[in-house]
Structures are given as structure tokens and as C-alpha cells.
Amino acid sequence: MSAVTIESLSKHVGETVTLQGWLYNSRSSGKLLFLVLRDGTGLCQCVFEKKPETEAAFKAAEHLGQESSLAIEGVVRAEPRSVGGHELSVTAVRVYQNASGYPITPKAHGIDFLMKNRHLWFRSQRQWAILRVRHTVVQGIREYFDSHGFVLIDTPIFAPAAGEGSQTLFEVDYFGEKVYLAQTGQLYVEAACMAHRKVYCFGPTFRAEKSKTRRHLTEFWMVEPEIAFAELDDVIALAEDFVCHLVRKCLRERRAELELLGRDLAKLEAIDKPFYWITYSQAADILRSDRVRQMLVGDLERAKARVAELAATIDAKEKERTAPGIKEWKADKLAQEILDLRDELADQEEAVRNIPKHMELAAGFQWGGDLGGSDETIIARLHERPVFVTHYPRDCKAFYMKRNADDHRVVNNLDLLAPEGYGEIIGGSQREDDLDVLLERMREEKLDEADYAWYLDLRRYGTVPHGGFGLGVERTVAWICGLRHIRETIPYARMMGKIYP
Ligand code: 4AD
Ligand code: MG
């Protein structure tokens, strides 16, 4: 009999099938053994009944460790109360390996331990769900551009010059020459859009981010479309339609995974066109407004109250956990709850420390500076749909952005802030297509013209208005999944101080 997968069980009700997988957990009542099998497509409870003829197999199965690899044969029954909606009445168990001492137990584990065991942590339900959402986001990215007339242009990872700020470059010794890991493929797709009109690149990018934040990786994936004969409005319309496509696709194809993650789906269902659109100057006014001050004062009060509440709950649970005679499974369950509560407590304490700083930053926001992470969070929280912030002061943005025709102090750029405080998921702009203005800007930035000679050629031979943007995959996945931290959105996270496994 050939094996079937758990996700296809609805087609096999009443049949005898074989499932292949790993033991997620098991529980015995003496006469019945409940083996929860994980096969990569889902979970299924397999019920093994002790009978005289199965006694030996039953005994062996009772002693299987977590993550033992198995093939289980049995009859499929519909069982709406069971995980996945089906159960297997076991007729035979074949063991590939009886594993023992699997490190990620149902007991409590801290994040450092889990990150070190990333190669095993993949198997846990939440991690499984997140990477499936990521897969669908990546598929949605390719699908969108491929079906809208864009040509894929693969851009190099070894780059001879900076594409974004020079502070975040990773240096590489390239046969004795100093080159960098690509921070962006943008300059290269700008050249390609003059050949194909609409292009995109999609790959890993590298930034030596020397701070540990929830939003920054040193290696992340970015998709960068670039279109010829486009101005800022065209780039914004593209970004808006594209983001809607990604969210809708995840809601359609990964509903179960998002539910497993506890995502508030109504918040995602609300994502629709048109997004909000404010200018940087309007954002600055909002930050300095009384409304924002009051919101933050309220935040601070709530955070303080929550700290007190959490501390009390943790105390109570700790007493319960260490009470004499407590059952082991109950103590384990409490330990995990306490760990989660402690995580939240650390977050809330951090909020209590940071909110006054964020208030000060927002209230004292000066026109000319870049929006910081906390500023973005504030703006994003005030809107239930994504917000475009446009027309930043040119001094806080990259040299290639198009100078605004009416106000030379600002550029025609866009940042897209995701709601619920997620902040920037897209950065982009119309590009400076005027050779003289671009040269002037490069001199201001002390960039060596010789390094960019090929790029300047684009402004010499048939220059046209053009533009594009970059969307970060990990920040988008974090937002769609509703995760606090970006580190779980990529299979193997790279951050300052984190390179294993
Ligand atoms: O705003 P950024 O720096 O824009 C560019 O790189 C442009 N060259 C894109 C373009 O116009 N073609 O980065 C774009 C996006 C950010 O909005 C964010 O989603 C993501 O890339 N990003 C990061 N994600 C994770 N970790 C980091 N360190 C990131 N830096 C940027
Ligand atoms: Mg940016």
C-alpha cells in the first residue's frame, strides 16, 4: 500500500492507509495509545487499541520517544473534534528510528535555546506555519510580477560600490580588491528597465546593521521592481496593488496557518485599496500633535498597569507550579505559560522605559531628520490600513532619489508603513533622471563619480522618468503573521551576534 499524506486524508475516509512521519507526542490510557503523528503536511491522531494480537506492537509503540520516525497503517475515520479533522485506527506501526532525548520538549524553552536549535525548531507547529506563510509570500511575489509583464533580472551579490548608505556595507576581499555584499539590486535594475521597460530583481541583500532590533537582519530578502516611464504616483499605485495581492493570497491559501498563529484575521481582511497617503511634513505635524502625546500617555499607563498585573500572575503561577504533589504535565504546562508571561513582562517593562523617550522624540521632531522606528510605529498605529509617507527631505535619503520639482528640499520618494505598528515594509522612489542634478547630489554625498560611471550612462543615453521600490520579505511576513520579531520569518536568521546554525 502506498503512503498518503495527512492533508489528503479527507479523500480516504473508510480506507486503510499508511502515514509516514514523526511522533509529535503520545499519551497512553493503558488500553488505548494516542500517537499524534506529524508528517510535514499536518497532524493526525492515531489511536492504537491494545488487543491480544497487537500486544507486542502496542508495548513497543508505548515506548517511542518524541520525534521517532514511523510509518503507521490504519483505517481513516472522520473525527471533527480531533486535530486536522481525522483519526487513524491503527492496524500496524513500523519504526524507522526510535528517537530519545529530543531537546525541544513540551517543557518551556527560551528563545536563545530555540534559535540555537533552529534546525529542529522548524518542526514545531508555529515555526512550521510561519515558513509556510513565507513560502506563499515568496510565491505571491513572483506570481504578481510574472503576470504583470515584468522581466526577472538577477542582479549581482558582489558589488563594487554602495547602493544605499555606506555605514552598512559588508566588505569582501575580491582577489585583493575591496568589494561589498549587495545592499540592493536597484542600480542594476534601473539599467535593465531601459532595456525591458518593466523588470524586477529578487534575492538576498546584506546590511551590516550593528544594532539588535526586531526589524533588522543582516541578511534579508528583498524584491525590487523598476519601471521606465513612471513617476511617483505610478510607483505608489504599483506598490499598493502588489501588497493587496500578497495579503489576499495569504488569506486565501494560508488561513489555517494564520489561525494557528493566532493572527487577528479581521485586521488583514481590512487591507484594501486605497491606502493612506501623507507627506513627510504631515507626518512631522502628526508626531508633534496633542493626539499623539495623549496616545502615548495612555500607552504608558496601560503598560505600567500590565507590568503589575503580569508580575502578580507570574507569582501565582510560580507558586502553583512548585506546589507539592503537582502532576508533571501540569508543572510543564505552567512552566511554558510562565516563560511566555515573562517574555511579555520584559516587553512591557521595555515599553515603560521607552515610551517616555518615544514621546520626547515625537514631540521634539524636527523637520529634516529621518523618521525613526518609534516614529514609524506611531504613524502606522494611527491608521488601520497601510500608509504611504512621501516627500522626505533629500538629506536623509539616498542620492538617487528624484528631486521634487516644486520643492527642492524634498524628494519624490515613498515609504510604506504597515499597520498595527509594524512600520516600514517598502522603501522606494522616483529616480533622479537628470544627469546634472544627479552629479550635484553625488558630490554632496562625496560619492566617487568613477565608481558610478556606468550608472551615469543611463542619464546620458535616453534618460526617462523611472522608479521602483524594494519590499522586504521578512518584515512583510512578520506583519502578515502578526509576529513581534523578524527572526522567525526566515529559515536561518542572520543578525549581529547570530550566525549559527
Ligand atoms: O528602504 P530600503 O533601504 O530601500 C532600498 O534598498 C531601495 N534600493 C529599494 C528600491 O527602491 N529598489 O529597503 C527596502 C526594504 C525596507 O522597506 C525593508 O522592508 C527591507 O527592505 N529592509 C530590511 N529588512 C530586514 N532587515 C534589514 N536590515 C532591512 N533593511 C531594509
Ligand atoms: Mg527605507
Side-chain angles (χ1 to χ4, degrees):
M1 189 177 327
S2 69
V4 303
T5 55
I6 291 172
E7 67 182 348
S8 74
L9 283 180
S10 62
K11 287 184 250 157
H12 299 282
V13 174
E15 294 172 21
T16 299
V17 302
T18 301
L19 295 176
Q20 297 166 311
W22 298 265
L23 188 60
Y24 199 64
N25 65 52
S26 72
R27 172 168 67 83
S28 170
S29 73
K31 280 191 82 69
L32 290 177
L33 180 61
F34 301 93
L35 302 165
V36 177
L37 196 75
R38 175 183 74 71
D39 82 338
T41 73
L43 294 178
C44 178
Q45 175 158 279
C46 306
V47 185
F48 199 0
E49 194 182 338
K50 183 146 88 178
K51 295 182 192 149
E53 66 275 20
T54 59
E55 190 152 349
F58 186 95
K59 277 235 170 68
E62 260 185 326
H63 293 103
L64 290 170
Q66 188 188 347
E67 290 302 313
S68 289
S69 37
L70 313 169
I72 303 184
E73 184 199 79
V75 183
V76 182
R77 281 186 295 118
E79 178 47 88
R81 286 167 307 175
S82 197
V83 54
H86 297 89
E87 272 188 6
L88 211 64
S89 302
V90 178
T91 50
V93 177
R94 193 182 123 213
V95 179
Y96 291 96
Q97 186 195 36
N98 181 1
S100 65
Y102 184 69
I104 304 179
T105 62
K107 287 189 203 301
H109 299 293
I111 185 69
D112 290 341
F113 175 84
L114 292 169
M115 288 300 280
K116 270 197 199 102
N117 284 284
R118 182 57 165 166
H119 54 298
L120 302 175
W121 194 25
F122 281 144
R123 307 179 190 193
S124 302
Q125 281 289 285
R126 282 181 61 83
Q127 299 308 312
W128 176 83
I130 294 167
L131 290 187
R132 284 163 84 91
V133 174
R134 179 188 171 99
H135 167 78
T136 298
V137 167
V138 169
Q139 207 179 34
I141 288 171
R142 296 199 185 284
E143 188 177 85
Y144 185 88
F145 292 113
D146 292 347
S147 66
H148 284 77
F150 286 74
V151 174
L152 174 71
I153 299 294
D154 296 312
T155 52
I157 285 175
F158 289 132
E164 296 291 326
S166 58
Q167 295 89 347
T168 61
L169 287 167
F170 275 115
E171 272 180 39
V172 182
D173 175 16
Y174 192 75
F175 306 112
E177 192 185 337
K178 188 164 87 178
V179 304
Y180 310 100
L181 296 181
Q183 297 167 301
T184 169
Q186 181 199 315
L187 307 191
Y188 294 101
V189 283
E190 278 188 58
C193 85
M194 303 301 167
H196 296 278
R197 197 166 181 127
K198 298 207 277 186
V199 299
Y200 72 103
C201 63
F202 186 20
T205 38
F206 305 87
R207 301 208 186 161
E209 303 281 359
K210 291 181 198 77
S211 59
K212 297 181 193 171
T213 78
R214 283 177 200 164
R215 297 179 183 178
H216 289 94
L217 298 167
T218 53
E219 179 176 334
F220 63 96
W221 282 65
M222 179 159 63
V223 60
E224 297 180 90
E226 190 74 25
I227 38 181
F229 302 101
E231 301 191 358
L232 183 61
D233 293 20
D234 304 301
V235 178
I236 287 185
L238 176 69
E240 189 178 66
D241 194 52
F242 169 56
V243 168
C244 287
H245 170 81
L246 295 182
V247 172
R248 274 198 298 265
K249 184 176 169 78
C250 289
L251 279 169
R252 212 169 42 237
E253 298 176 15
R254 293 294 174 210
R255 226 184 166 77
E257 284 83 353
L258 292 172
E259 276 169 358
L260 192 155
L261 292 167
R263 184 66 168 109
D264 181 350
L265 295 181
K267 294 248 164 57
L268 292 180
E269 312 262 9
I271 304 306
D272 203 356
K273 290 198 259 186
F275 294 174
Y276 293 97
W277 180 355
I278 61 175
T279 63
Y280 167 92
S281 297
Q282 286 169 324
D285 289 342
I286 293 175
L287 287 172
R288 289 185 296 242
S289 70
D290 207 45
R291 175 175 173 215
V292 161
R293 201 185 60 81
Q294 275 164 14
M295 180 175 90
L296 294 177
V297 167
D299 285 353
L300 186 59
E301 274 165 21
R302 266 190 306 280
K304 281 181 175 160
R306 185 73 186 137
V307 165
E309 189 183 12
L310 283 164
T313 316
I314 290 170
D315 255 18
K317 288 201 188 265
E318 199 56 67
K319 283 211 184 77
E320 197 185 339
R321 188 182 71 85
T322 51
I326 184 154
K327 292 233 163 52
E328 196 186 331
W329 69 266
K330 177 86 191 175
D332 288 349
K333 188 164 165 281
L334 283 165
Q336 183 61 58
E337 284 170 16
I338 290 167
L339 206 73
D340 291 346
L341 290 168
R342 279 197 207 290
D343 266 0
E344 197 196 333
L345 179 62
D347 269 10
Q348 294 291 338
E349 284 171 342
E350 194 186 315
V352 170
R353 279 194 304 276
N354 285 337
I355 292 169
K357 291 183 214 161
H358 296 167
M359 281 171 82
E360 216 179 293
L361 284 172
F365 190 83
Q366 296 280 332
W367 197 98
D370 203 355
L371 295 183
S374 63
D375 303 322
E376 286 176 2
T377 302
I378 292 168
I379 303 284
R381 277 181 55 201
L382 293 169
H383 300 84
E384 77 288 4
R385 273 176 278 136
V387 197
F388 288 107
V389 185
T390 64
H391 300 97
Y392 278 58
R394 63 164 205 213
D395 291 337
C396 63
K397 286 292 175 187
F399 74 96
Y400 53 70
M401 293 188 177
K402 173 82 182 163
R403 184 171 80 183
N404 184 269
D406 302 322
D407 180 355
H408 285 190
R409 298 175 309 157
V410 303
V411 288
N412 291 353
N413 80 304
L414 64 128
D415 271 4
L416 181 65
L417 310 183
E420 300 168 71
Y422 274 92
E424 182 193 331
I425 57 168
I426 283 183
S429 75
Q430 188 180 337
R431 318 304 185 191
E432 186 51 76
D433 50 337
D434 183 298
L435 180 63
D436 294 328
V437 178
L438 184 60
L439 283 170
E440 189 188 312
R441 193 70 188 93
M442 286 174 61
R443 279 193 287 271
E444 274 174 14
E445 291 287 308
K446 304 205 166 41
L447 293 171
D448 188 350
E449 221 179 283
D451 289 342
Y452 297 87
W454 67 269
Y455 184 68
L456 295 168
D457 272 352
L458 306 176
R459 278 71 180 165
R460 289 196 179 96
Y461 307 112
T463 191
V464 295
H466 65 288
F469 62 80
L471 169 127
V473 169
E474 291 75 18
R475 288 197 194 167
T476 305
V477 174
W479 166 48
I480 291 179
C481 290
L483 306 177
R484 262 186 336 118
H485 202 296
I486 198 173
R487 66 192 159 206
E488 293 170 37
T489 63
I490 186 163
Y492 297 95
R494 297 292 178 250
M495 291 174 287
M496 196 171 97
K498 166 103 197 62
I499 194 96
Y500 175 92

